[in-house]
Amino acid sequence: TLSHELRTPLNAILGWTQILRRGKIGPAELKKGLETIERNSRAQAHIIEDLLDMSRIISGKVQLNVKNVNLRSVIEAAIESVLPSVQAKNIRLQTVFDALPIFITGDPNRLQQVVWNLLSNAIKFTHSGGRVRVLLEKMDKHVELIVSDNGQGIKSEFLPYVFDRFRQADSSTTRKFGGLGLGLSIVKQLVELHGGTVQAISPGEGQGATFTVLLPLVHRESNSNAPAVAYSFDDDRLTTTQCEETNLQSTKVLVVDDEIDAQELVKRVLEECGANVLTASSVDEALELVQTQKPHVVVSDIGMPGKDGYEFIRRLRGLPSSMGGDIPAAAVTAFARFEDRIRALRSGYQTHVAKPVEPAELIAVVASLAGRHDSHI
């Protein structure tokens, strides 16, 4: 199943890449090909994230960034992110919320992941023109979140295993619905990490399903010092049009990466916003450019042969300021775990960005670091 789910988007990516390389296509086909590559790349990235999340959960290494969270805002952000899927299937999405904000203590990113997985699951198994309902209600000592649908439903014999890892009601080669069978397992684990519970019920196949999440309620009076977080979702909609707001003219950026494709991608994105980009494929080459070209910002990979990004930043920070030792630097890397982020920051990077990186995020990071650099001048 894992091989199938990883190879399917890869097949579309490689196939369309080869078609585009031939160059004998019109504007409409070009647009279709690029959209297909992007859609399948995001699908594969999501599969990888699910696998990594499950790995962290199994090994007990999930880190929660706990805040006082407005749960309604988290749910609304998750709903906004699935609207394209809702509209594509012409599904009626109904919401029933308490009029007043509902606050709980938790990690807003992980809570949004819970809601997103439940919504995605409901949409996936609901037929075109069907209904998905989201209810949020404050009870005496807990918050109740219910996501229900009138779709495929769950067979009674499978219901006890619906939250198990890699378990699917139909795992045959003729199955109608794809996936790894990890989404609901991740939901259960994350809900329990927040001190809550999740339950699934279904009258049977073809009669819809209801998932109920119970989370401990937080009384704001006892947490008056904890800032409330209204989480917003804005990743996929960001594009390089941010150049209109972020001008990198006269900003010199050094990109360090042994992978030429990755190096060229970062260079292209930054140059479109006016940056002057230098590139290096090794630590020694990068350190030489730092001292001779004096870049304003460094963007470096971590995993490189011989000497890695950690060695680079240690040697960079060992230089005097006059030779570039205080140049702000970002680690842009496929080492994306929480532990990797901490190690990068402790090693001397100002920020850590996980690959695949959105162009707008990269632009914003470089602009921020360039501003930080200017404040030191």
Side-chain angles (χ1 to χ4, degrees):
T1 299
L2 175 59
S3 176
H4 176 272
E5 292 302 311
L6 285 172
R7 288 176 184 274
T8 297
L10 186 60
N11 181 65
I13 293 168
L14 289 175
W16 270 102
T17 300
Q18 291 169 354
I19 291 172
L20 296 180
R21 286 186 65 188
R22 296 178 192 146
K24 298 178 180 179
I25 58 174
E29 274 194 303
L30 175 62
K31 182 175 182 292
K32 179 182 178 181
L34 293 175
E35 288 174 347
T36 301
I37 290 171
E38 180 179 6
R39 182 171 61 254
N40 283 275
S41 297
R42 292 187 186 282
Q44 193 168 63
H46 181 69
I47 292 170
I48 293 169
E49 284 300 321
D50 277 353
L51 289 169
L52 292 175
D53 278 337
M54 187 51 62
S55 176
R56 295 184 192 108
I57 289 168
I58 292 171
S59 59
K61 293 182 179 179
V62 174
Q63 302 286 336
L64 296 182
N65 182 20
V66 177
K67 297 179 173 69
N68 197 12
V69 182
N70 182 346
L71 190 55
R72 176 170 174 172
S73 295
V74 170
I75 295 171
E76 288 174 341
I79 289 174
E80 186 177 355
S81 70
V82 300
L83 280 180
S85 300
V86 170
Q87 293 165 355
K89 295 185 73 173
N90 193 30
I91 290 173
R92 289 180 294 121
L93 181 58
Q94 303 172 339
T95 58
V96 180
F97 297 150
D98 273 0
L100 297 176
I102 297 177
F103 292 89
I104 68 168
T105 297
D107 184 324
N109 291 284
R110 293 301 189 179
L111 289 170
Q112 184 177 346
Q113 186 177 2
V114 166
V115 181
W116 186 89
N117 276 337
L118 290 175
L119 286 170
S120 296
N121 184 74
I123 295 165
K124 177 180 179 180
F125 292 103
T126 299
H127 54 79
S128 180
R131 174 190 54 78
V132 173
R133 187 168 183 262
V134 182
L135 183 146
L136 177 65
E137 187 175 10
K138 182 165 64 174
M139 312 298 283
D140 184 27
K141 294 183 179 180
H142 63 264
V143 177
E144 185 175 72
L145 166 66
I146 298 176
V147 178
S148 61
D149 63 75
N150 63 349
Q152 180 77 13
I154 307 170
K155 295 179 181 179
S156 57
E157 59 267 29
F158 182 72
L159 200 55
Y161 309 105
V162 73
F163 293 108
D164 287 3
R165 295 190 298 270
F166 298 105
R167 290 294 293 268
Q168 295 171 309
D170 181 6
S171 57
S172 69
T173 57
T174 59
R175 62 181 180 156
K176 182 179 180 181
F177 301 101
L180 289 177
L182 284 179
L184 292 179
S185 180
I186 291 172
V187 165
K188 183 176 186 294
Q189 299 292 336
L190 291 179
V191 168
E192 290 179 350
L193 282 173
H194 283 83
T197 60
V198 59
Q199 179 186 28
I201 60 173
S202 175
E205 192 171 10
Q207 301 182 64
T210 299
F211 290 84
T212 302
V213 175
L214 299 180
L215 293 166
L217 184 64
V218 171
H219 297 288
R220 294 198 67 193
E221 302 80 48
S222 61
N223 293 276
S224 57
N225 294 326
V229 175
Y231 193 65
S232 62
F233 183 93
D234 59 358
D235 58 354
D236 288 353
R237 291 163 295 160
L238 293 174
T239 67
T240 51
T241 55
Q242 186 170 344
C243 290
E244 299 172 4
E245 304 172 6
T246 308
N247 194 327
L248 297 178
Q249 291 287 347
S250 68
T251 300
K252 190 181 294 185
V253 184
L254 171 60
V255 177
V256 188
D257 200 315
D258 65 299
E259 293 286 345
I260 300 302
D261 288 345
Q263 188 185 103
E264 287 299 317
L265 174 63
V266 174
K267 180 180 179 181
R268 174 69 179 270
V269 169
L270 296 178
E271 284 183 341
E272 284 186 357
C273 284
N276 178 12
V277 181
L278 311 168
T279 59
S281 300
S282 69
V283 169
D284 292 335
E285 183 184 358
L287 290 169
E288 182 179 346
L289 286 172
V290 164
Q291 297 175 67
T292 58
Q293 299 297 321
K294 301 293 189 299
H296 301 118
V297 177
V298 171
V299 174
S300 177
D301 188 26
I302 294 294
M304 295 184 286
K307 300 169 185 174
D308 62 15
Y310 298 124
E311 173 70 14
F312 167 67
I313 198 66
R314 281 194 293 267
R315 291 177 60 179
L316 178 65
R317 296 298 176 235
L319 297 174
S321 297
S322 60
M323 300 177 68
D326 62 350
I327 295 174
V332 179
T333 171
F335 291 104
R337 300 176 304 167
F338 176 81
E339 299 93 321
D340 298 319
R341 177 176 179 273
I342 296 300
R343 183 179 178 187
L345 297 177
R346 287 178 175 171
S347 297
Y349 290 98
Q350 273 70 33
T351 187
H352 170 279
V353 181
K355 294 179 180 179
V357 59
E358 292 286 342
E361 182 182 9
L362 177 64
I363 293 164
V365 165
V366 170
S368 175
L369 292 178
R372 182 178 311 187
H373 174 83
D374 292 342
S375 66
H376 290 168
I377 297 177

